[in-house]
Amino acid sequence: MSVPSPQPAPAPPVLVGFDGSSRSLAAARWAAREALAAGSPVRLLHVGQAWPAVQPISPEFQPVLGASESAARTVLSAVTDEIRAAHAGLTVEAATAEGGPGNEIPREAARSKAGLIVLGASGEDRHVVARLGSTALHVAGRAEVPVVLVREPAERAPHGRGVVVGIDPAGDHTAVLDFAYAWAARHALPLRAVYAVRGTPADPEPLEAAVAAAGARHPQVATTCVTRSGDPTELLLEEAAGADLLVVGRRHHRPLHGMGPTDHAVAHHAHSPVALIPHG
């Protein structure tokens, strides 16, 4: 009797924080393309305000609150239908929750064992928190899985500069490089690893060794290593101009919003989608 071969584990879902805005719609469309390429389902989550179930809510507010919730569900359903129609074979789910999005999105990511969170980030407001959005800032700084911030519009040039990955000289390169290489391999794009440090020119050996180890697992990805001295934020933004994706690390257990000055500034100013990978 032949023993059936074990079935591969299903790919983890891609979770999208959806609030009905144009930036969250851009994030949903970007996430759908990524989920289809990775063989993952996509899950849209709308988090609404948790209103008290008891008085003192005045009766005149109840129709307004009911209409708001109904409108959110209608938009969520429409976007779900749009994504299914645009990507045959893609599993698309939608869910709603009540509470604060900054807490509920990471909670849903843990519950659903999501492998990636995708959020919209507006590029129009000059204020840091407003531009990233308080939800995006909170989730990106505290999530236990990679978070991608998608700018409006979400259209990506099919032959852009590829993937740019920033290497923190004091960080753990493995998770950051593995994510960048896997994404580059999935989209048949080249990868450019940037080792940006302040002060005198840096020793390129640590970067080259880390990149070589990760590159050995993805030999099909054409790789370039760049070592530059200067302000890491400015150098990464310059290198990532026209990139399909900028990948940077984000250390665990930072105070406040959970992001360091470089990853925070890069996430704020980059025009390309930015992947923040937790490590350390």
Side-chain angles (χ1 to χ4, degrees):
M1 179 183 295
S2 61
V3 178
S5 58
Q7 295 296 316
V14 176
L15 179 65
V16 184
F18 185 80
D19 62 6
S21 66
S22 58
R23 62 178 178 267
S24 69
L25 178 58
R29 289 169 174 166
W30 190 95
R33 295 194 296 268
E34 296 311 306
L36 189 66
S40 298
V42 64
R43 185 172 180 81
L44 305 179
L45 177 68
H46 178 274
V47 182
Q49 175 68 51
W51 299 100
V54 296
Q55 298 297 332
I57 291 184
S58 300
E60 61 265 24
F61 281 107
Q62 292 177 1
V64 176
L65 298 181
S68 176
E69 178 65 19
S70 175
R73 291 179 181 272
T74 299
V75 173
L76 188 62
S77 176
V79 173
T80 301
D81 291 343
E82 175 199 311
I83 292 175
R84 285 176 179 152
H87 302 284
L90 177 65
T91 299
V92 185
E93 301 173 341
T96 59
E98 291 186 346
N103 293 323
E104 292 302 321
I105 292 173
R107 185 174 294 138
E108 174 61 22
R111 190 199 67 78
S112 63
K113 295 181 172 57
L116 181 68
I117 298 172
V118 182
L119 302 171
S122 172
E124 298 176 357
D125 199 306
R126 294 183 179 180
H127 189 274
V128 171
V129 174
R131 182 170 182 178
L132 281 179
S134 57
T135 296
L137 184 67
H138 185 96
V139 174
R142 299 191 180 278
E144 296 297 320
V145 297
V147 175
V148 173
L149 303 176
V150 176
R151 299 290 180 201
E152 300 174 76
E155 298 303 321
R156 176 169 60 83
H159 302 291
R161 293 188 62 188
V163 178
V164 173
V165 54
I167 305 298
D168 179 358
D172 177 5
H173 312 307
T174 304
V176 180
L177 283 169
D178 279 348
F179 181 95
Y181 265 102
W183 203 91
R186 191 156 56 242
H187 294 280
L189 290 169
L191 181 143
R192 188 174 179 86
V194 181
Y195 190 17
V197 294
R198 298 181 186 273
T200 57
D203 179 3
E205 289 187 6
L207 168 65
E208 293 173 356
V211 171
R217 295 188 285 275
H218 300 277
Q220 74 274 40
V221 176
T223 303
T224 303
C225 292
V226 178
T227 302
R228 298 182 61 183
S229 297
D231 179 80
T233 299
E234 293 180 2
L235 294 177
L236 284 174
L237 291 174
E238 180 181 327
E239 291 286 344
D244 296 89
L245 184 70
L246 172 59
V247 183
V248 293
R250 193 271 299 167
R251 297 186 193 179
H252 285 294
H253 311 306
R254 282 191 181 273
L256 300 177
H257 50 65
M259 296 171 68
T262 298
D263 40 311
H264 186 190
V266 166
H268 170 52
H269 290 290
H271 293 290
S272 62
V274 178
L276 292 153
I277 315 303
H279 67 87

